[in-house]
PDB file of all heavy atoms in Angstrom:
ATOM      1  N   GLU A   1      43.541 150.300 117.834  1.00 97.00           N
ATOM      2  CA  GLU A   1      42.751 151.460 118.062  1.00 97.00           C
ATOM      3  C   GLU A   1      41.521 151.147 118.957  1.00 97.00           C
ATOM      4  O   GLU A   1      41.005 152.022 119.545  1.00 97.00           O
ATOM      5  CB  GLU A   1      42.352 152.243 116.825  1.00 97.00           C
ATOM      6  CG  GLU A   1      43.445 152.638 115.927  1.00 97.00           C
ATOM      7  CD  GLU A   1      43.893 151.594 114.846  1.00 97.00           C
ATOM      8  OE1 GLU A   1      43.657 150.433 115.130  1.00 97.00           O
ATOM      9  OE2 GLU A   1      44.314 151.993 113.844  1.00 97.00           O
ATOM     10  N   HIS A   2      41.099 149.920 118.861  1.00 94.00           N
ATOM     11  CA  HIS A   2      39.811 149.519 119.577  1.00 94.00           C
ATOM     12  C   HIS A   2      40.158 149.146 121.041  1.00 94.00           C
ATOM     13  O   HIS A   2      39.183 148.808 121.792  1.00 94.00           O
ATOM     14  CB  HIS A   2      39.213 148.345 118.801  1.00 94.00           C
ATOM     15  CG  HIS A   2      39.160 148.581 117.309  1.00 94.00           C
ATOM     16  ND1 HIS A   2      38.287 149.476 116.735  1.00 94.00           N
ATOM     17  CD2 HIS A   2      39.862 148.118 116.329  1.00 94.00           C
ATOM     18  CE1 HIS A   2      38.480 149.546 115.522  1.00 94.00           C
ATOM     19  NE2 HIS A   2      39.418 148.664 115.158  1.00 94.00           N
ATOM     20  N   ASP A   3      41.385 149.216 121.430  1.00 93.00           N
ATOM     21  CA  ASP A   3      41.767 148.874 122.871  1.00 93.00           C
ATOM     22  C   ASP A   3      41.375 149.983 123.703  1.00 93.00           C
ATOM     23  O   ASP A   3      41.397 151.206 123.383  1.00 93.00           O
ATOM     24  CB  ASP A   3      43.307 148.623 122.925  1.00 93.00           C
ATOM     25  CG  ASP A   3      43.795 147.192 122.255  1.00 93.00           C
ATOM     26  OD1 ASP A   3      42.776 146.352 121.946  1.00 93.00           O
ATOM     27  OD2 ASP A   3      44.929 147.175 121.923  1.00 93.00           O
ATOM     28  N   ASN A   4      41.173 149.684 124.995  1.00 91.00           N
ATOM     29  CA  ASN A   4      41.082 150.734 126.066  1.00 91.00           C
ATOM     30  C   ASN A   4      42.425 151.367 126.269  1.00 91.00           C
ATOM     31  O   ASN A   4      43.395 150.737 126.282  1.00 91.00           O
ATOM     32  CB  ASN A   4      40.511 150.092 127.320  1.00 91.00           C
ATOM     33  CG  ASN A   4      40.306 151.017 128.474  1.00 91.00           C
ATOM     34  OD1 ASN A   4      41.275 151.534 129.088  1.00 91.00           O
ATOM     35  ND2 ASN A   4      39.071 151.324 128.753  1.00 91.00           N
ATOM     36  N   VAL A   5      42.334 152.792 126.396  1.00 94.00           N
ATOM     37  CA  VAL A   5      43.446 153.522 126.614  1.00 94.00           C
ATOM     38  C   VAL A   5      43.367 154.408 127.867  1.00 94.00           C
ATOM     39  O   VAL A   5      43.638 155.636 127.834  1.00 94.00           O
ATOM     40  CB  VAL A   5      44.005 154.364 125.508  1.00 94.00           C
ATOM     41  CG1 VAL A   5      44.594 153.373 124.375  1.00 94.00           C
ATOM     42  CG2 VAL A   5      42.832 155.115 124.829  1.00 94.00           C
ATOM     43  N   ASP A   6      42.795 153.890 128.953  1.00 93.00           N
ATOM     44  CA  ASP A   6      42.451 154.682 130.133  1.00 93.00           C
ATOM     45  C   ASP A   6      43.573 154.655 131.199  1.00 93.00           C
ATOM     46  O   ASP A   6      43.373 155.104 132.278  1.00 93.00           O
ATOM     47  CB  ASP A   6      41.182 154.221 130.727  1.00 93.00           C
ATOM     48  CG  ASP A   6      39.964 154.637 129.933  1.00 93.00           C
ATOM     49  OD1 ASP A   6      40.148 155.593 129.166  1.00 93.00           O
ATOM     50  OD2 ASP A   6      38.905 153.962 130.125  1.00 93.00           O
ATOM     51  N   HIS A   7      44.779 154.168 130.832  1.00 94.00           N
ATOM     52  CA  HIS A   7      45.833 154.023 131.839  1.00 94.00           C
ATOM     53  C   HIS A   7      47.175 154.442 131.281  1.00 94.00           C
ATOM     54  O   HIS A   7      48.197 153.806 131.245  1.00 94.00           O
ATOM     55  CB  HIS A   7      45.944 152.561 132.304  1.00 94.00           C
ATOM     56  CG  HIS A   7      44.742 152.093 133.018  1.00 94.00           C
ATOM     57  ND1 HIS A   7      43.703 151.485 132.162  1.00 94.00           N
ATOM     58  CD2 HIS A   7      44.358 152.058 134.177  1.00 94.00           C
ATOM     59  CE1 HIS A   7      42.688 151.132 133.023  1.00 94.00           C
ATOM     60  NE2 HIS A   7      43.090 151.399 134.349  1.00 94.00           N
ATOM     61  N   PRO A   8      47.208 155.887 131.095  1.00 93.00           N
ATOM     62  CA  PRO A   8      48.522 156.447 130.589  1.00 93.00           C
ATOM     63  C   PRO A   8      49.534 156.375 131.832  1.00 93.00           C
ATOM     64  O   PRO A   8      49.177 156.416 132.874  1.00 93.00           O
ATOM     65  CB  PRO A   8      48.110 157.971 130.305  1.00 93.00           C
ATOM     66  CG  PRO A   8      46.910 158.175 131.079  1.00 93.00           C
ATOM     67  CD  PRO A   8      46.206 156.952 131.192  1.00 93.00           C
ATOM     68  N   VAL A   9      50.874 156.403 131.359  1.00 92.00           N
ATOM     69  CA  VAL A   9      51.943 156.290 132.336  1.00 92.00           C
ATOM     70  C   VAL A   9      52.800 157.512 132.284  1.00 92.00           C
ATOM     71  O   VAL A   9      53.851 157.557 132.942  1.00 92.00           O
ATOM     72  CB  VAL A   9      52.792 154.964 132.249  1.00 92.00           C
ATOM     73  CG1 VAL A   9      51.837 153.806 132.552  1.00 92.00           C
ATOM     74  CG2 VAL A   9      53.365 154.894 130.881  1.00 92.00           C
ATOM     75  N   SER A  10      52.435 158.598 131.646  1.00 92.00           N
ATOM     76  CA  SER A  10      53.131 159.868 131.667  1.00 92.00           C
ATOM     77  C   SER A  10      52.207 160.942 131.358  1.00 92.00           C
ATOM     78  O   SER A  10      51.017 160.714 130.749  1.00 92.00           O
ATOM     79  CB  SER A  10      54.224 159.867 130.556  1.00 92.00           C
ATOM     80  OG  SER A  10      53.619 159.894 129.224  1.00 92.00           O
ATOM     81  N   LEU A  11      52.382 162.116 131.826  1.00 94.00           N
ATOM     82  CA  LEU A  11      51.603 163.266 131.518  1.00 94.00           C
ATOM     83  C   LEU A  11      51.499 163.606 130.063  1.00 94.00           C
ATOM     84  O   LEU A  11      50.400 164.002 129.486  1.00 94.00           O
ATOM     85  CB  LEU A  11      52.090 164.546 132.266  1.00 94.00           C
ATOM     86  CG  LEU A  11      51.163 165.743 132.064  1.00 94.00           C
ATOM     87  CD1 LEU A  11      49.834 165.577 132.658  1.00 94.00           C
ATOM     88  CD2 LEU A  11      51.844 167.022 132.665  1.00 94.00           C
ATOM     89  N   TYR A  12      52.627 163.372 129.375  1.00 94.00           N
ATOM     90  CA  TYR A  12      52.643 163.574 127.902  1.00 94.00           C
ATOM     91  C   TYR A  12      51.478 162.642 127.275  1.00 94.00           C
ATOM     92  O   TYR A  12      50.656 163.142 126.512  1.00 94.00           O
ATOM     93  CB  TYR A  12      53.924 163.267 127.282  1.00 94.00           C
ATOM     94  CG  TYR A  12      54.015 163.130 125.769  1.00 94.00           C
ATOM     95  CD1 TYR A  12      53.745 164.232 125.020  1.00 94.00           C
ATOM     96  CD2 TYR A  12      54.058 161.867 125.086  1.00 94.00           C
ATOM     97  CE1 TYR A  12      53.779 164.196 123.588  1.00 94.00           C
ATOM     98  CE2 TYR A  12      54.024 161.741 123.770  1.00 94.00           C
ATOM     99  CZ  TYR A  12      53.834 162.938 122.985  1.00 94.00           C
ATOM    100  OH  TYR A  12      53.807 162.816 121.624  1.00 94.00           O
ATOM    101  N   ALA A  13      51.465 161.421 127.645  1.00 94.00           N
ATOM    102  CA  ALA A  13      50.489 160.502 127.219  1.00 94.00           C
ATOM    103  C   ALA A  13      49.051 160.957 127.548  1.00 94.00           C
ATOM    104  O   ALA A  13      48.116 160.804 126.768  1.00 94.00           O
ATOM    105  CB  ALA A  13      50.698 159.082 127.734  1.00 94.00           C
ATOM    106  N   ALA A  14      48.937 161.462 128.822  1.00 96.00           N
ATOM    107  CA  ALA A  14      47.587 161.917 129.213  1.00 96.00           C
ATOM    108  C   ALA A  14      47.178 163.085 128.420  1.00 96.00           C
ATOM    109  O   ALA A  14      45.874 163.329 128.075  1.00 96.00           O
ATOM    110  CB  ALA A  14      47.636 162.297 130.732  1.00 96.00           C
ATOM    111  N   THR A  15      47.993 163.998 128.031  1.00 97.00           N
ATOM    112  CA  THR A  15      47.639 165.151 127.249  1.00 97.00           C
ATOM    113  C   THR A  15      47.106 164.673 125.761  1.00 97.00           C
ATOM    114  O   THR A  15      46.223 165.251 125.227  1.00 97.00           O
ATOM    115  CB  THR A  15      48.678 166.190 127.093  1.00 97.00           C
ATOM    116  OG1 THR A  15      49.877 165.596 126.374  1.00 97.00           O
ATOM    117  CG2 THR A  15      49.085 166.803 128.492  1.00 97.00           C
ATOM    118  N   LYS A  16      47.814 163.700 125.275  1.00 97.00           N
ATOM    119  CA  LYS A  16      47.460 163.114 123.954  1.00 97.00           C
ATOM    120  C   LYS A  16      46.185 162.383 123.966  1.00 97.00           C
ATOM    121  O   LYS A  16      45.291 162.617 122.959  1.00 97.00           O
ATOM    122  CB  LYS A  16      48.620 162.219 123.441  1.00 97.00           C
ATOM    123  CG  LYS A  16      49.806 163.013 122.986  1.00 97.00           C
ATOM    124  CD  LYS A  16      49.511 164.001 121.937  1.00 97.00           C
ATOM    125  CE  LYS A  16      50.714 164.738 121.252  1.00 97.00           C
ATOM    126  NZ  LYS A  16      50.418 165.622 120.197  1.00 97.00           N
ATOM    127  N   LYS A  17      45.849 161.643 125.000  1.00 97.00           N
ATOM    128  CA  LYS A  17      44.564 161.008 125.187  1.00 97.00           C
ATOM    129  C   LYS A  17      43.490 162.131 125.355  1.00 97.00           C
ATOM    130  O   LYS A  17      42.371 162.040 124.780  1.00 97.00           O
ATOM    131  CB  LYS A  17      44.529 160.156 126.452  1.00 97.00           C
ATOM    132  CG  LYS A  17      43.178 159.713 127.004  1.00 97.00           C
ATOM    133  CD  LYS A  17      42.556 158.621 126.146  1.00 97.00           C
ATOM    134  CE  LYS A  17      41.158 158.316 126.607  1.00 97.00           C
ATOM    135  NZ  LYS A  17      40.999 157.488 127.818  1.00 97.00           N
ATOM    136  N   SER A  18      43.847 163.170 126.110  1.00 98.00           N
ATOM    137  CA  SER A  18      42.880 164.294 126.218  1.00 98.00           C
ATOM    138  C   SER A  18      42.566 164.913 124.908  1.00 98.00           C
ATOM    139  O   SER A  18      41.418 165.374 124.509  1.00 98.00           O
ATOM    140  CB  SER A  18      43.567 165.354 127.169  1.00 98.00           C
ATOM    141  OG  SER A  18      43.657 164.770 128.464  1.00 98.00           O
ATOM    142  N   ASN A  19      43.575 165.086 123.958  1.00 98.00           N
ATOM    143  CA  ASN A  19      43.310 165.695 122.663  1.00 98.00           C
ATOM    144  C   ASN A  19      42.364 164.855 121.875  1.00 98.00           C
ATOM    145  O   ASN A  19      41.464 165.404 121.209  1.00 98.00           O
ATOM    146  CB  ASN A  19      44.686 165.602 121.798  1.00 98.00           C
ATOM    147  CG  ASN A  19      45.693 166.753 122.285  1.00 98.00           C
ATOM    148  OD1 ASN A  19      46.835 166.683 121.925  1.00 98.00           O
ATOM    149  ND2 ASN A  19      45.240 167.602 123.222  1.00 98.00           N
ATOM    150  N   GLU A  20      42.393 163.496 121.968  1.00 98.00           N
ATOM    151  CA  GLU A  20      41.447 162.658 121.346  1.00 98.00           C
ATOM    152  C   GLU A  20      40.043 162.895 121.831  1.00 98.00           C
ATOM    153  O   GLU A  20      39.097 162.976 120.992  1.00 98.00           O
ATOM    154  CB  GLU A  20      41.775 161.149 121.469  1.00 98.00           C
ATOM    155  CG  GLU A  20      43.198 160.867 120.842  1.00 98.00           C
ATOM    156  CD  GLU A  20      43.588 159.376 121.041  1.00 98.00           C
ATOM    157  OE1 GLU A  20      42.832 158.702 121.628  1.00 98.00           O
ATOM    158  OE2 GLU A  20      44.654 159.004 120.585  1.00 98.00           O
ATOM    159  N   LEU A  21      39.876 163.044 123.226  1.00 98.00           N
ATOM    160  CA  LEU A  21      38.592 163.296 123.762  1.00 98.00           C
ATOM    161  C   LEU A  21      38.080 164.649 123.436  1.00 98.00           C
ATOM    162  O   LEU A  21      36.872 164.814 123.035  1.00 98.00           O
ATOM    163  CB  LEU A  21      38.696 163.089 125.246  1.00 98.00           C
ATOM    164  CG  LEU A  21      39.114 161.784 125.829  1.00 98.00           C
ATOM    165  CD1 LEU A  21      39.260 161.852 127.269  1.00 98.00           C
ATOM    166  CD2 LEU A  21      38.025 160.746 125.487  1.00 98.00           C
ATOM    167  N   MET A  22      38.957 165.605 123.377  1.00 98.00           N
ATOM    168  CA  MET A  22      38.554 166.979 123.004  1.00 98.00           C
ATOM    169  C   MET A  22      38.110 166.990 121.524  1.00 98.00           C
ATOM    170  O   MET A  22      37.080 167.744 121.223  1.00 98.00           O
ATOM    171  CB  MET A  22      39.662 167.926 123.319  1.00 98.00           C
ATOM    172  CG  MET A  22      39.998 168.092 124.746  1.00 98.00           C
ATOM    173  SD  MET A  22      41.756 168.631 125.032  1.00 98.00           S
ATOM    174  CE  MET A  22      41.639 170.351 124.540  1.00 98.00           C
ATOM    175  N   ALA A  23      38.838 166.413 120.655  1.00 98.00           N
ATOM    176  CA  ALA A  23      38.488 166.341 119.257  1.00 98.00           C
ATOM    177  C   ALA A  23      37.175 165.740 119.053  1.00 98.00           C
ATOM    178  O   ALA A  23      36.308 166.119 118.261  1.00 98.00           O
ATOM    179  CB  ALA A  23      39.569 165.568 118.482  1.00 98.00           C
ATOM    180  N   HIS A  24      36.869 164.630 119.802  1.00 98.00           N
ATOM    181  CA  HIS A  24      35.558 163.966 119.675  1.00 98.00           C
ATOM    182  C   HIS A  24      34.462 164.881 120.097  1.00 98.00           C
ATOM    183  O   HIS A  24      33.366 164.918 119.421  1.00 98.00           O
ATOM    184  CB  HIS A  24      35.527 162.673 120.487  1.00 98.00           C
ATOM    185  CG  HIS A  24      34.192 161.912 120.270  1.00 98.00           C
ATOM    186  ND1 HIS A  24      33.117 162.193 121.151  1.00 98.00           N
ATOM    187  CD2 HIS A  24      33.733 161.052 119.327  1.00 98.00           C
ATOM    188  CE1 HIS A  24      32.114 161.412 120.738  1.00 98.00           C
ATOM    189  NE2 HIS A  24      32.445 160.737 119.687  1.00 98.00           N
ATOM    190  N   THR A  25      34.622 165.669 121.149  1.00 98.00           N
ATOM    191  CA  THR A  25      33.668 166.591 121.588  1.00 98.00           C
ATOM    192  C   THR A  25      33.233 167.592 120.506  1.00 98.00           C
ATOM    193  O   THR A  25      32.111 167.799 120.202  1.00 98.00           O
ATOM    194  CB  THR A  25      34.060 167.190 122.908  1.00 98.00           C
ATOM    195  OG1 THR A  25      34.362 166.333 123.836  1.00 98.00           O
ATOM    196  CG2 THR A  25      33.028 168.255 123.370  1.00 98.00           C
ATOM    197  N   TYR A  26      34.289 168.205 119.902  1.00 98.00           N
ATOM    198  CA  TYR A  26      33.962 169.097 118.849  1.00 98.00           C
ATOM    199  C   TYR A  26      33.492 168.499 117.608  1.00 98.00           C
ATOM    200  O   TYR A  26      32.613 169.120 116.866  1.00 98.00           O
ATOM    201  CB  TYR A  26      35.252 169.933 118.618  1.00 98.00           C
ATOM    202  CG  TYR A  26      35.505 171.082 119.400  1.00 98.00           C
ATOM    203  CD1 TYR A  26      35.754 171.014 120.823  1.00 98.00           C
ATOM    204  CD2 TYR A  26      35.345 172.476 118.936  1.00 98.00           C
ATOM    205  CE1 TYR A  26      35.974 172.110 121.613  1.00 98.00           C
ATOM    206  CE2 TYR A  26      35.548 173.523 119.751  1.00 98.00           C
ATOM    207  CZ  TYR A  26      35.719 173.389 121.127  1.00 98.00           C
ATOM    208  OH  TYR A  26      35.938 174.479 121.858  1.00 98.00           O
ATOM    209  N   SER A  27      33.932 167.324 117.271  1.00 98.00           N
ATOM    210  CA  SER A  27      33.353 166.611 116.159  1.00 98.00           C
ATOM    211  C   SER A  27      31.839 166.393 116.393  1.00 98.00           C
ATOM    212  O   SER A  27      31.036 166.562 115.466  1.00 98.00           O
ATOM    213  CB  SER A  27      34.061 165.294 116.000  1.00 98.00           C
ATOM    214  OG  SER A  27      33.679 164.611 114.774  1.00 98.00           O
ATOM    215  N   HIS A  28      31.471 165.989 117.562  1.00 98.00           N
ATOM    216  CA  HIS A  28      30.045 165.739 117.961  1.00 98.00           C
ATOM    217  C   HIS A  28      29.212 166.903 117.952  1.00 98.00           C
ATOM    218  O   HIS A  28      28.236 167.025 117.277  1.00 98.00           O
ATOM    219  CB  HIS A  28      29.932 165.066 119.271  1.00 98.00           C
ATOM    220  CG  HIS A  28      28.584 165.137 119.994  1.00 98.00           C
ATOM    221  ND1 HIS A  28      27.576 164.523 119.432  1.00 98.00           N
ATOM    222  CD2 HIS A  28      28.236 165.724 121.097  1.00 98.00           C
ATOM    223  CE1 HIS A  28      26.465 164.753 120.218  1.00 98.00           C
ATOM    224  NE2 HIS A  28      26.874 165.551 121.139  1.00 98.00           N
ATOM    225  N   LEU A  29      29.762 167.971 118.564  1.00 98.00           N
ATOM    226  CA  LEU A  29      28.910 169.231 118.847  1.00 98.00           C
ATOM    227  C   LEU A  29      28.814 170.104 117.554  1.00 98.00           C
ATOM    228  O   LEU A  29      27.859 170.659 117.229  1.00 98.00           O
ATOM    229  CB  LEU A  29      29.577 170.068 119.919  1.00 98.00           C
ATOM    230  CG  LEU A  29      29.415 169.508 121.257  1.00 98.00           C
ATOM    231  CD1 LEU A  29      30.270 170.340 122.307  1.00 98.00           C
ATOM    232  CD2 LEU A  29      28.007 169.504 121.809  1.00 98.00           C
ATOM    233  N   PHE A  30      29.941 170.154 116.765  1.00 98.00           N
ATOM    234  CA  PHE A  30      30.054 171.033 115.698  1.00 98.00           C
ATOM    235  C   PHE A  30      30.236 170.445 114.277  1.00 98.00           C
ATOM    236  O   PHE A  30      30.469 171.159 113.242  1.00 98.00           O
ATOM    237  CB  PHE A  30      31.086 172.108 115.898  1.00 98.00           C
ATOM    238  CG  PHE A  30      31.019 172.786 117.306  1.00 98.00           C
ATOM    239  CD1 PHE A  30      31.954 172.507 118.252  1.00 98.00           C
ATOM    240  CD2 PHE A  30      29.907 173.579 117.581  1.00 98.00           C
ATOM    241  CE1 PHE A  30      31.860 173.099 119.559  1.00 98.00           C
ATOM    242  CE2 PHE A  30      29.792 174.174 118.815  1.00 98.00           C
ATOM    243  CZ  PHE A  30      30.739 173.888 119.811  1.00 98.00           C
ATOM    244  N   GLY A  31      30.216 169.088 114.213  1.00 98.00           N
ATOM    245  CA  GLY A  31      30.379 168.424 112.990  1.00 98.00           C
ATOM    246  C   GLY A  31      31.723 168.556 112.270  1.00 98.00           C
ATOM    247  O   GLY A  31      31.855 168.428 111.060  1.00 98.00           O
ATOM    248  N   ILE A  32      32.761 168.832 113.045  1.00 98.00           N
ATOM    249  CA  ILE A  32      34.101 168.948 112.440  1.00 98.00           C
ATOM    250  C   ILE A  32      34.725 167.572 112.163  1.00 98.00           C
ATOM    251  O   ILE A  32      34.864 166.760 113.133  1.00 98.00           O
ATOM    252  CB  ILE A  32      35.096 169.652 113.432  1.00 98.00           C
ATOM    253  CG1 ILE A  32      34.504 171.076 113.827  1.00 98.00           C
ATOM    254  CG2 ILE A  32      36.538 169.856 112.871  1.00 98.00           C
ATOM    255  CD1 ILE A  32      35.240 171.778 114.939  1.00 98.00           C
ATOM    256  N   PRO A  33      35.006 167.212 110.931  1.00 98.00           N
ATOM    257  CA  PRO A  33      35.664 166.003 110.621  1.00 98.00           C
ATOM    258  C   PRO A  33      37.145 165.965 111.307  1.00 98.00           C
ATOM    259  O   PRO A  33      37.899 166.916 111.030  1.00 98.00           O
ATOM    260  CB  PRO A  33      35.765 165.939 109.149  1.00 98.00           C
ATOM    261  CG  PRO A  33      34.654 166.869 108.701  1.00 98.00           C
ATOM    262  CD  PRO A  33      34.656 167.874 109.732  1.00 98.00           C
ATOM    263  N   ALA A  34      37.329 165.077 112.146  1.00 98.00           N
ATOM    264  CA  ALA A  34      38.664 165.087 112.948  1.00 98.00           C
ATOM    265  C   ALA A  34      39.285 163.707 112.920  1.00 98.00           C
ATOM    266  O   ALA A  34      38.528 162.624 113.277  1.00 98.00           O
ATOM    267  CB  ALA A  34      38.419 165.644 114.448  1.00 98.00           C
ATOM    268  N   THR A  35      40.423 163.550 112.531  1.00 98.00           N
ATOM    269  CA  THR A  35      41.186 162.343 112.562  1.00 98.00           C
ATOM    270  C   THR A  35      42.440 162.446 113.373  1.00 98.00           C
ATOM    271  O   THR A  35      43.309 163.304 113.121  1.00 98.00           O
ATOM    272  CB  THR A  35      41.541 161.867 111.080  1.00 98.00           C
ATOM    273  OG1 THR A  35      40.438 161.840 110.315  1.00 98.00           O
ATOM    274  CG2 THR A  35      42.341 160.614 111.079  1.00 98.00           C
ATOM    275  N   GLY A  36      42.598 161.575 114.367  1.00 98.00           N
ATOM    276  CA  GLY A  36      43.742 161.535 115.171  1.00 98.00           C
ATOM    277  C   GLY A  36      44.625 160.390 114.721  1.00 98.00           C
ATOM    278  O   GLY A  36      44.227 159.284 114.510  1.00 98.00           O
ATOM    279  N   LEU A  37      46.037 160.652 114.716  1.00 98.00           N
ATOM    280  CA  LEU A  37      46.980 159.668 114.304  1.00 98.00           C
ATOM    281  C   LEU A  37      47.936 159.349 115.511  1.00 98.00           C
ATOM    282  O   LEU A  37      48.678 160.227 115.905  1.00 98.00           O
ATOM    283  CB  LEU A  37      47.812 160.221 113.106  1.00 98.00           C
ATOM    284  CG  LEU A  37      47.004 160.496 111.842  1.00 98.00           C
ATOM    285  CD1 LEU A  37      47.929 161.152 110.790  1.00 98.00           C
ATOM    286  CD2 LEU A  37      46.323 159.217 111.338  1.00 98.00           C
ATOM    287  N   ARG A  38      47.883 158.106 115.909  1.00 98.00           N
ATOM    288  CA  ARG A  38      48.737 157.717 116.996  1.00 98.00           C
ATOM    289  C   ARG A  38      50.090 157.249 116.373  1.00 98.00           C
ATOM    290  O   ARG A  38      50.268 156.180 115.945  1.00 98.00           O
ATOM    291  CB  ARG A  38      48.069 156.577 117.753  1.00 98.00           C
ATOM    292  CG  ARG A  38      46.802 156.928 118.620  1.00 98.00           C
ATOM    293  CD  ARG A  38      46.175 155.797 119.236  1.00 98.00           C
ATOM    294  NE  ARG A  38      45.028 156.244 120.018  1.00 98.00           N
ATOM    295  CZ  ARG A  38      44.120 155.412 120.453  1.00 98.00           C
ATOM    296  NH1 ARG A  38      44.158 154.075 120.317  1.00 98.00           N
ATOM    297  NH2 ARG A  38      43.073 155.914 121.168  1.00 98.00           N
ATOM    298  N   LEU A  39      51.039 158.153 116.486  1.00 97.00           N
ATOM    299  CA  LEU A  39      52.401 158.033 115.887  1.00 97.00           C
ATOM    300  C   LEU A  39      53.291 157.065 116.766  1.00 97.00           C
ATOM    301  O   LEU A  39      53.268 157.231 118.007  1.00 97.00           O
ATOM    302  CB  LEU A  39      53.049 159.370 115.699  1.00 97.00           C
ATOM    303  CG  LEU A  39      52.336 160.313 114.759  1.00 97.00           C
ATOM    304  CD1 LEU A  39      52.650 161.785 114.992  1.00 97.00           C
ATOM    305  CD2 LEU A  39      52.757 159.929 113.320  1.00 97.00           C
TER     306      LEU A  39
END
């Protein structure tokens, strides 16, 4: 989880990386506890 993940090779992967970034934004701004699971 501590590795860099800035080089997706599919749009599906890019949307999942985007979900992690979006969740962090809301967690920061609104204090929502958010846990992402990389299946």
Side-chain angles (χ1 to χ4, degrees):
E1 300 94 331
H2 313 289
D3 292 342
N4 180 285
V5 289
D6 287 340
H7 298 87
V9 295
S10 70
L11 181 64
Y12 170 71
T15 63
K16 288 300 186 178
K17 165 77 185 285
S18 299
N19 287 170
E20 295 178 2
L21 297 174
M22 295 156 74
H24 182 269
T25 302
Y26 271 68
S27 184
H28 161 64
L29 291 173
F30 308 113
I32 301 169
T35 302
L37 299 174
R38 292 175 178 169
L39 295 156

